[in-house]
Amino acid sequence: ALGPAREQGLLYRSRTGVFSEDCLSLSADAAPIFPTHDGSRRTALMCYKDYISAFAGQMKAYLGQTLVELQVGMGPCGELRYPSYMMSNGWQYPGVGLVMAHDAGMLRM
């Protein structure tokens, strides 16, 4: 996922050009950039749906009995969060984060 997202500019980016490769930008949700085995392309949302569907199919016998709740981490640290606090780029607590809405996809929106 990272290669096509890099190529299409669909990773979070700050105004100064700092990129976050921790997760895809929200602008990648509907962009058909991920290749399939038959040469067509899928969106990030299609990939997420296929992932959850495959999990549910494999775990069907356990759903509702053994597995009664499932939490899926959708962020760089296992939680859904905006990637503006990147310690790898010098951010320290407490401090303000970067506005990460300058990737190609967000700029088109």
Side-chain angles (χ1 to χ4, degrees):
L2 196 52
R6 270 192 206 121
E7 293 166 11
Q8 298 293 322
L10 297 174
L11 296 171
Y12 283 108
R13 189 181 109 186
S14 74
R15 183 179 51 162
T16 60
V18 173
F19 282 90
S20 171
E21 293 188 341
D22 290 337
C23 55
L24 299 175
S25 169
L26 290 175
S27 64
D29 282 354
I33 62 169
F34 303 104
T36 65
H37 64 281
D38 66 3
S40 61
R41 302 230 173 236
R42 299 187 308 162
T43 67
L45 290 178
M46 293 166 88
C47 294
Y48 300 149
K49 179 184 178 286
D50 291 345
Y51 173 78
I52 295 299
S53 294
F55 177 85
Q58 291 296 310
M59 303 305 286
K60 184 177 182 179
Y62 303 101
L63 294 177
Q65 297 167 14
T66 305
L67 293 174
V68 295
E69 182 177 335
L70 180 67
Q71 294 182 5
V72 178
M74 298 291 286
C77 296
E79 81 292 356
L80 182 58
R81 75 169 168 92
Y82 191 66
S84 60
Y85 303 103
M86 296 184 295
M87 291 187 163
S88 62
N89 286 311
W91 178 83
Q92 292 182 349
Y93 179 84
V96 296
L98 299 170
V99 174
M100 302 291 285
H102 294 273
D103 59 81
M106 294 299 270
L107 293 174
R108 282 192 298 267
M109 293 176 100

